[in-house]
Amino acid sequence: MNKEIPELYGSMIFGDKVMRSKLPKDMYKALRKTIENGTHLELDVANSVAVAMKEWAVENGATHYTHWFQPMTGFTAEKHDSFIAPAGEGEVIMDFSGKELVKGEPDASSFPSGGLRATFEARGYTAWDPTSPAFIKDKTLYIPTAFCSYSGEALDKKTPLLRSMEALSKEAVKVLHLLGNQGVTRVSTTIGPEQEYFLVDKELYKQRRDLIFCGRTLFGAPAPKGQEMEDHYFGTLKPKVSAYMHDLDVELWKLGIPAKTKHNEVAPAQHELAPVFDTANVAVDHNQLTMEIMKKVAEKHNMVCLLHEKPFQGINGSGKHNNWSLITNEGVNLLNPGRTPAKNLPFLVFLMAVIKAVDDYADLMRISASSAGNDHRLGGNEAPPAIVSIFLGDELTAVLDAIESDTHMGKQEAVQIDIGAHVLPHFVKDNTDRNRTSPFAFTGNKFEFRMLGSSASVATPNIVLNTAVAEALAQFYEELKDAKAEDMEQAVHALLKKAIEKHKRIIFNGNGYSEEWVEEAKKRGLYNLVSTPDCLPQFVTDKNVELFTKHHIFTREEIFSRYEILLENYTKTVLIEARTLDEMLTKDFLPAVNAYAGETAKNAASKKAFLPELATGCEEALVSGLTEAYGALTEGIKELKALIAKTAETADALEAAKLCHSELLVKMEALAEMANKAEALIPDSYLPYPTYDQLLFSL
Ligand code: ADP
Ligand code: MG
């Protein structure tokens, strides 16, 4: 088997090997140039690639092709067309042209556009992204594309991501040239997303409306055992889970997705998968595919993969760690501290650019991780707090301290940088300090953004991060550009010093879960944007609109449309949850409470008649407890319904979202608490759905 893996790996992608074997040499070269340098692709090349792709796809069993895109829903979308073209009476040929490869025209009127696309212009366009490989899945050739409107506005997550990668590359190259590194022509962002998920039994899943409609349980009495023993983390894989993970790996490998690490996570039934990092847009495509295939393979194994951020109350939810770095076309990781001091100047500049970026745009970073689901995690002492800060570790912090406190000029300055650099290799080796409470941590040669929710597209945080860092670099460039080459080191030093003074407030190496940090962060003037409706309005502030428009990531209209969509998504999600809770309590739970109370009352009455002298009143107490709960829940459901109506009728999107957070979710939580208490009194056999015990410990 193992021998076959290199063979199997990437067998379903139109990768370099296939390209080379199928394309004429000059066409192959032209395509490679586009992939590597992002240059424009001529139609004759596209035609040639289309022919080769179709040939390869048909050989591998494909009958259809689809432009695969990532609309603002956060999911992926596809519309399949077959390759067939009529060729005389009753005959067809398999056909696919360069035009069809390069551009698609899905009717896009049903995708969220936040008002960008007027209904009279329902057309949307998909444009091939040649830098992310096409692949075959379910007998269809998938062509990764960007999705935009007739007038060119981005309607997806891919377009702004590609734009942000361009912006960052441009600014990074300029700075590197200033620092004497003339050979660099391109800087790419690399991403390695670690993906957490839960697995539950399919039959059990089907019995819970909340899992089906919301992807999470809306209430449930805790199992006697949760995650307190911490025995699940890195624990031995159960055979069922192991078989699943194996199948999943194979499916991912076929698509050239380098799934690398898999293990059990902290919560029972929770697991993680991490791939080897890749260029940002490829990694984003791969993560979308990974989530989809995780679900699909689970089906085959009679399980359901839950990607929700908080499927169960009382135990950890799932996140996604966005490992992020920068690599030059010469293969240098710009966030690698390296060994020789001279070469560390770029490192320090880029490190500082990231620190500045995250400090200046902490609100956007927070937004990029916001969703109704993730609101249940952030600040819940299982995920980073909602306050964005950076963990550097003691040694790197000491390096920055040394630069900051150096008041001398000239030679000593270089010495100070030397000191910094000397510490670094040591730092790299000893970088075992894993501050799990930090939202944004330096981890040796990359940053790890840990706020993301498990179901989120990794596009969003990287659009923000890339753009914010591009802006920081642009500002650095302006400050350095007039320095003479021989003065550059000093100029850089002065710049770093100033930047550290200004941005050190964002650096925090302590415990992010502590109350003191919340206080301290407030003193430092950092944002503490607790919920999605709290943070979203920051998206449209002048400062942030300016950032995105300056670097041509979003137009003003695109920003406002996205803001609308995000608010609406949030409200829709909460409303669906509220309605599901209503239905589940009314149709599943209350009848169970009633049945058990009735049964208990009947038993109590007959026992009392039979053995009056032994009556203790405990059945009565139980019946009265259940009846009270029944009454309180019924009353609560009425209030819930009223709140649902009030929210649904609220026209202003921000107003509605705020109502969700401050009233609807609060009511839902109160109901859940009541239900949990009552559920603990009721035998499982009375409940028409499985409990936490069964869901979490049955695999
Ligand atoms: P952990 O965070 O558990 O220590 P690793 O550090 O080994 O795990 O890697 C976590 C993820 O970071 C992996 O997906 C890995 O490929 C990714 N990663 C490693 N180096 C880089 C890099 N230079 N850029 C982006 N991601 C990276
Ligand atoms: Mg990690």
Side-chain angles (χ1 to χ4, degrees):
M1 176 64 205
N2 286 350
K3 265 215 176 116
E4 294 164 19
I5 287 173
E7 190 82 6
L8 177 105
Y9 188 84
S11 57
M12 287 296 143
I13 61 168
F14 189 74
D16 195 63
K17 213 167 87 191
V18 194
M19 284 178 203
R20 220 175 320 150
S21 73
K22 291 241 176 249
L23 284 170
K25 225 182 193 151
D26 52 330
M27 296 294 161
Y28 169 76
K29 268 194 190 150
L31 178 59
R32 283 276 15 135
K33 215 172 117 202
T34 297
I35 293 172
E36 273 149 34
N37 307 326
T39 48
H40 181 73
L41 195 94
E42 299 301 333
L43 190 63
D44 61 327
V45 184
N47 274 325
S48 175
V49 176
V51 170
M53 249 189 209
K54 181 210 67 190
E55 221 178 83
W56 168 77
V58 171
E59 276 167 22
N60 283 282
T63 54
H64 288 67
Y65 70 92
T66 181
H67 275 204
W68 184 65
F69 57 104
Q70 299 171 21
M72 291 295 297
T73 54
F75 307 105
T76 57
E78 51 196 70
K79 179 190 104 192
H80 298 207
D81 283 299
S82 75
F83 289 121
I84 63 163
E89 225 163 280
E91 284 176 31
V92 292
I93 52 163
M94 300 299 256
D95 194 28
F96 187 49
S97 71
K99 253 199 192 141
E100 287 169 309
L101 167 63
V102 170
K103 193 175 115 187
E105 287 186 38
D107 177 354
S109 51
S110 294
F111 292 106
S113 76
L116 267 188
R117 199 180 342 81
T119 31
F120 62 83
E121 186 38 272
R123 256 181 308 172
Y125 291 96
T126 48
W128 177 36
D129 169 14
T131 61
S132 181
F135 55 91
I136 297 172
K137 192 165 67 75
D138 307 327
K139 296 189 189 296
T140 297
L141 170 69
Y142 280 73
I143 300 156
T145 60
F147 180 44
C148 62
S149 76
Y150 180 67
S151 40
E153 286 124 343
L155 296 174
D156 67 350
K157 302 200 173 212
K158 182 77 168 272
T159 310
L161 177 71
L162 292 171
R163 290 174 184 164
S164 75
M165 290 165 70
E166 276 309 313
L168 179 50
S169 177
K170 192 176 109 200
E171 301 302 336
V173 167
K174 270 161 59 185
V175 168
L176 284 169
H177 285 182
L178 268 188
L179 296 178
N181 200 335
Q182 300 298 334
V184 177
T185 56
R186 201 173 165 79
V187 170
S188 304
T189 21
T190 50
I191 304 175
E194 301 164 58
Q195 176 75 48
E196 291 180 342
Y197 60 98
F198 279 85
L199 288 175
V200 296
D201 182 87
K202 187 155 77 181
E203 285 313 309
L204 298 179
Y205 168 93
K206 283 202 240 159
Q207 296 167 44
R208 286 196 70 120
R209 299 171 200 265
D210 49 6
L211 286 179
I212 292 171
F213 295 124
C214 314
R216 72 169 175 117
T217 58
L218 295 169
F219 64 95
K225 182 180 181 221
Q227 63 190 43
E228 54 278 81
M229 303 298 285
E230 303 193 325
D231 50 351
H232 196 253
Y233 190 59
F234 282 14
T236 316
L237 301 176
K238 297 204 178 95
K240 242 190 128 160
V241 172
S242 175
Y244 165 78
M245 286 178 167
H246 176 77
D247 258 16
L248 176 61
D249 277 342
V250 169
E251 290 308 314
L252 295 174
W253 290 339
K254 279 191 209 163
L255 294 174
I257 299 173
K260 172 100 175 151
T261 311
K262 51 187 183 186
H263 60 80
N264 285 347
E265 259 301 328
V266 174
Q270 191 187 27
H271 314 280
E272 179 180 303
L273 179 145
V276 179
F277 67 93
D278 217 321
T279 316
N281 61 324
V282 176
V284 166
D285 285 359
H286 281 175
N287 183 252
Q288 291 291 349
L289 271 175
T290 300
M291 291 194 283
E292 185 190 318
I293 291 167
M294 277 180 160
K295 290 189 173 173
K296 217 153 129 192
V297 174
E299 281 278 319
K300 265 200 254 165
H301 288 250
N302 287 319
M303 297 188 287
V304 174
C305 171
L306 302 177
L307 289 173
H308 194 282
E309 282 77 13
K310 194 71 180 176
F312 304 98
Q313 294 164 355
I315 56 171
N316 281 3
S318 298
K320 177 141 55 191
H321 290 176
N322 185 73
N323 292 274
W324 178 95
S325 193
L326 294 166
I327 193 162
T328 68
N329 58 309
E330 294 175 327
V332 177
N333 177 353
L334 292 168
L335 292 178
N336 190 341
R339 283 165 197 278
T340 44
K343 289 220 174 104
N344 280 325
L345 217 54
F347 166 71
L348 290 172
V349 169
F350 280 87
L351 176 74
M352 203 57 232
V354 178
I355 295 171
K356 176 177 168 51
V358 174
D359 186 30
D360 285 341
Y361 298 101
D363 50 348
L364 285 177
M365 294 296 290
R366 168 67 184 88
I367 289 171
S368 79
S370 72
S371 68
N374 213 23
D375 277 4
H376 297 290
R377 286 176 70 241
L378 299 180
N381 282 9
E382 56 163 83
I387 305 165
V388 175
S389 67
I390 299 180
F391 170 84
L392 284 184
D394 292 338
E395 291 173 77
L396 206 48
T397 305
V399 173
L400 296 192
D401 283 348
I403 296 172
E404 189 195 4
S405 61
D406 174 26
T407 46
H408 303 281
M409 296 299 289
K411 265 195 177 159
Q412 279 205 356
E413 195 176 351
V415 173
Q416 284 291 2
I417 292 172
D418 261 13
I419 290 170
H422 279 138
V423 182
L424 296 177
H426 174 52
F427 165 80
V428 174
K429 266 189 229 138
D430 273 351
N431 182 29
T432 47
D433 186 357
R434 300 224 142 255
N435 185 330
R436 294 261 157 218
T437 69
S438 175
F440 198 87
F442 186 74
T443 49
N445 60 2
K446 61 186 183 325
F447 275 101
E448 187 170 335
F449 183 46
R450 301 202 182 109
M451 270 185 151
L452 263 204
S454 47
S455 69
S457 157
V458 268
T460 324
N462 292 296
I463 293 167
V464 170
L465 193 51
N466 291 349
T467 312
V469 174
E471 172 57 23
L473 289 170
Q475 289 184 27
F476 284 1
Y477 176 82
E478 282 306 313
E479 272 189 55
L480 294 175
K481 72 174 195 293
D482 296 326
K484 292 198 196 87
E486 62 267 31
D487 299 333
M488 190 50 77
E489 209 165 309
Q490 262 188 39
V492 168
H493 188 67
L495 174 132
L496 289 173
K497 201 172 137 94
K498 220 167 74 188
I500 293 164
E501 273 164 18
K502 182 153 178 226
H503 298 292
K504 66 179 175 193
R505 64 172 189 166
I506 196 80
I507 297 167
F508 178 62
N509 294 325
N511 178 6
Y513 292 170
S514 67
E515 276 305 312
E516 295 86 68
W517 171 230
V518 178
E519 278 309 303
E520 167 69 15
K522 201 166 159 187
K523 272 192 222 140
R524 294 190 190 185
L526 301 180
Y527 293 104
N528 185 4
L529 303 164
V530 176
S531 72
T532 299
D534 276 337
C535 68
L536 280 181
Q538 288 296 124
F539 195 15
V540 292
T541 55
D542 290 346
K543 152 184 100 94
N544 294 332
V545 171
E546 207 167 294
L547 172 77
F548 287 127
T549 49
K550 175 180 169 190
H551 294 277
H552 308 289
I553 310 303
F554 295 123
T555 62
R556 214 187 146 73
E557 290 69 34
E558 286 172 351
I559 294 170
F560 277 85
S561 81
R562 262 149 225 263
Y563 170 60
E564 286 290 315
I565 292 171
L566 289 169
L567 280 174
E568 276 170 17
N569 276 351
Y570 174 81
T571 301
K572 281 180 194 163
T573 306
V574 177
L575 277 174
I576 291 170
E577 290 181 346
R579 291 188 188 115
T580 305
L581 181 63
D582 172 11
E583 191 171 297
M584 198 164 154
L585 287 175
T586 307
K587 294 190 182 174
D588 295 337
F589 187 63
L590 286 181
V593 176
N594 212 19
Y596 185 51
E599 189 69 22
T600 311
K602 226 164 59 192
N603 286 344
S606 65
K607 276 198 230 166
K608 213 168 172 182
F610 188 56
L611 291 167
E613 68 282 9
L614 287 184
T616 60
C618 57
E619 280 109 338
E620 281 87 342
L622 179 57
V623 174
S624 110
L626 289 171
T627 309
E628 250 173 62
Y630 191 92
L633 280 165
T634 307
E635 207 42 50
I637 291 169
K638 263 192 224 152
E639 290 159 14
L640 180 73
K641 280 189 204 289
L643 278 175
I644 292 173
K646 184 172 154 194
T647 310
E649 279 159 18
T650 304
D652 183 81
L654 180 59
E655 213 49 40
K658 281 185 175 165
L659 261 182
C660 285
H661 178 68
S662 62
E663 295 193 36
L664 204 42
L665 281 164
V666 174
K667 175 58 64 188
M668 287 166 65
E669 234 158 76
L671 282 171
E673 209 171 295
M674 278 191 248
N676 292 351
K677 275 197 194 131
E679 191 190 285
L681 302 173
I682 301 175
D684 289 358
S685 58
Y686 277 80
L687 298 170
Y689 55 80
T691 60
Y692 273 27
D693 297 26
Q694 294 161 303
L695 283 168
L696 290 169
F697 293 95
S698 65
L699 283 187

